[in-house]
Amino acid sequence: MSNARATHLSRRGILAAGGALGLGAVLAACGDDDAKSGGSDKGTTAAKSGPWTFKDDRGQTAKTDKTPANIVSFIGVAAALHDYGIESKGVFGPTKLKDGKADVQAGDLDISKVTVIGNEWGQFNIEKYAALSPDVLITTMFDSAGTLWYVPEESKKKILAVGAPSVGISVYDVQLPTPLQRMLELAKSLGADTTSSTITAAKKRFEDAAARLRAATKAKPNIKVLVGSASQDIFYVSGSNLSVDLEYFKALGVNFVEPAASALKASGGWYENLSWENVDKYGADIIMMDNRTSAIQPADITEGTWKKLPAVKAGQVIARNPEPILSYDKCVPLLEDLAKAIESAKKVS
């Protein structure tokens, strides 16, 4: 999440930074017949006895006497581990909507079966956390300093004092395959059978989707893609650097609209702030919009300047999740949706 990484940013800025972050929307991807029918080939093995260790992306090694059973994790991490058959006991981060339904960041996770210890930015109930007798705390990191995502800085010491080691998986200035592989390695250490047919098939679909996107960009190199996020007063335009999804899409040939470095400076390189009057500053053929609940969704944008944009008028607006769920299954649609949009896009800019 581009905006998310600059720790000096406001809460709104941090969440909107996501505008600089990911692609998104379609959360379902096909599994094999066993997976669809609720079969057990999800990739879990019995928890190993004996000491457990895992070296995270801060270079810190988490250690426990046995493989963690009481896992507490950021909601997106919990969703990814769930896809590998590893369940979290507690979660924090955007989990439940006001109507009680699961947030987009929960993926296929059954949120009724987890304890939510914080549903919004800044929320982390230490008493609930301690009551879970956590074996490990897992989240992502959106900066080079190793800041644990959604773990409030003001209460971090008290949270870590509960005694569970922490694990951070970096999603900062790397391409998507890297954190995907790291999450898979983490799941394996926690007992997942990463050679299962379900996981192998998901990795193959991911590779095929990447090849499709590369072919689409090669066939239509002039299609320009703008990445945005909407708030009441500001439209955020993301740069393609720093975000795991955008860096990877760019490597596959996607022609992104790139704000000048000077315009990105205030956000630490993540995004440029535009007023709605200036939302037409950049020409684009496709617009990818932040689909997280912290952002205003395209259908709810009432600004006339937005509705006049060529890509909007052409219906060439797709969703993006600036915080991709780091399982191969959930990242397949990110590639496929963008490939499809480019394949069918008309040049309107």
Side-chain angles (χ1 to χ4, degrees), residues 134-198:
D135 294 321
V136 66
L137 173 70
I138 310 172
T139 187
T140 49
M141 301 181 299
F142 283 93
D143 60 26
S144 59
T147 303
L148 298 175
W149 187 233
Y150 264 82
V151 175
E153 281 296 309
E154 62 273 16
S155 54
K156 177 181 175 181
K157 288 185 179 179
K158 291 183 179 179
I159 293 169
L160 297 181
V162 171
S166 62
V167 170
I169 299 297
S170 178
V171 285
Y172 174 75
D173 199 17
V174 293
Q175 293 183 21
L176 186 56
T178 297
L180 275 174
Q181 180 61 32
R182 290 292 284 146
M183 190 63 70
L184 189 67
E185 292 168 359
L186 175 60
K188 181 178 180 179
S189 79
L190 293 169
D193 175 10
T194 56
T195 64
S196 71
S197 60
T198 300

Side-chain angles (χ1 to χ4, degrees), residues 295-343:
I296 298 175
Q297 298 307 298
D300 299 320
I301 298 175
T302 58
E303 300 291 341
T305 47
W306 163 260
K307 295 180 179 180
K308 293 178 181 178
L309 294 177
V312 175
K313 292 172 69 174
Q316 295 177 173
V317 178
I318 63 174
R320 170 200 182 222
N321 188 339
E323 299 178 59
I325 294 172
L326 297 173
S327 75
Y328 289 98
D329 181 69
K330 293 299 180 292
C331 286
V332 168
L334 311 187
L335 294 160
E336 290 182 337
D337 289 353
L338 183 53
K340 181 180 179 181
I342 292 174
E343 289 165 353

Side-chain angles (χ1 to χ4, degrees), residues 17-335:
L21 299 180
L23 162 68
V26 188
L27 291 176
C30 339
D32 59 18
D33 292 338
D34 286 340
K36 289 179 179 178
S37 62
S40 60
D41 184 25
K42 194 130 193 197
T44 331
T45 60
K48 297 171 291 183
S49 59
W52 171 86
T53 64
F54 184 83
K55 188 174 183 179
D56 74 0
D57 292 338
R58 296 170 297 180
Q60 297 183 15
T61 300
K63 301 178 181 180
T64 57
D65 293 337
K66 59 182 179 180
T67 302
N70 295 344
I71 299 170
V72 176
S73 52
F74 173 68
I75 184 61
V77 170
L81 291 176
H82 171 78
D83 284 355
Y84 294 134
I86 304 298
E87 302 301 338
S88 295
K89 192 171 183 180
V91 298
F92 54 96
T95 303
K96 184 182 296 186
L97 302 177
K98 291 181 179 179
D99 61 6
K101 295 180 180 179
D103 189 277
V104 65
Q105 295 190 63
D108 293 331
L109 194 66
D110 183 346
I111 63 173
S112 69
K113 294 182 178 180
V114 294
T115 298
V116 181
I117 60 177
N119 197 57
E120 297 179 6
W121 182 259
Q123 292 182 352
F124 196 109
N125 190 310
I126 301 177
E127 289 72 24
K128 278 188 177 182
Y129 175 60
L132 293 175
S133 299
D135 294 321
V136 66
L137 173 70
I138 310 172
T139 187
T140 49
M141 301 181 299
F142 283 93
D143 60 26
S144 59
T147 303
L148 298 175
W149 187 233
Y150 264 82
V151 175
E153 281 296 309
E154 62 273 16
S155 54
K156 177 181 175 181
K157 288 185 179 179
K158 291 183 179 179
I159 293 169
L160 297 181
V162 171
S166 62
V167 170
I169 299 297
S170 178
V171 285
Y172 174 75
D173 199 17
V174 293
Q175 293 183 21
L176 186 56
T178 297
L180 275 174
Q181 180 61 32
R182 290 292 284 146
M183 190 63 70
L184 189 67
E185 292 168 359
L186 175 60
K188 181 178 180 179
S189 79
L190 293 169
D193 175 10
T194 56
T195 64
S196 71
S197 60
T198 300
I199 294 175
T200 301
K203 289 181 71 175
K204 178 62 164 58
R205 292 198 308 273
F206 180 84
E207 293 165 358
D208 291 346
R212 178 183 174 183
L213 179 55
R214 188 186 294 277
T217 62
K218 187 174 182 179
K220 290 188 173 181
N222 295 323
I223 293 297
K224 293 196 295 184
V225 180
L226 182 145
V227 182
S229 183
S231 69
Q232 184 173 352
D233 301 314
I234 299 172
F235 184 78
Y236 302 88
V237 178
S238 296
S240 64
N241 293 326
L242 304 184
S243 298
V244 292
D245 60 333
L246 303 187
E247 285 201 5
Y248 186 48
F249 299 157
K250 180 169 61 176
L252 293 174
V254 175
N255 182 7
F256 284 113
V257 169
E258 299 282 5
S262 57
L264 298 170
K265 187 174 181 180
S267 68
W270 289 100
Y271 56 92
E272 176 183 1
N273 293 353
L274 293 180
S275 65
W276 284 103
E277 290 75 16
N278 295 317
V279 74
D280 60 353
K281 178 177 179 178
Y282 300 105
D285 304 299
I286 295 172
I287 300 177
M288 296 171 64
M289 290 293 289
D290 186 348
N291 73 340
R292 295 171 302 166
T293 52
S294 57
I296 298 175
Q297 298 307 298
D300 299 320
I301 298 175
T302 58
E303 300 291 341
T305 47
W306 163 260
K307 295 180 179 180
K308 293 178 181 178
L309 294 177
V312 175
K313 292 172 69 174
Q316 295 177 173
V317 178
I318 63 174
R320 170 200 182 222
N321 188 339
E323 299 178 59
I325 294 172
L326 297 173
S327 75
Y328 289 98
D329 181 69
K330 293 299 180 292
C331 286
V332 168
L334 311 187
L335 294 160

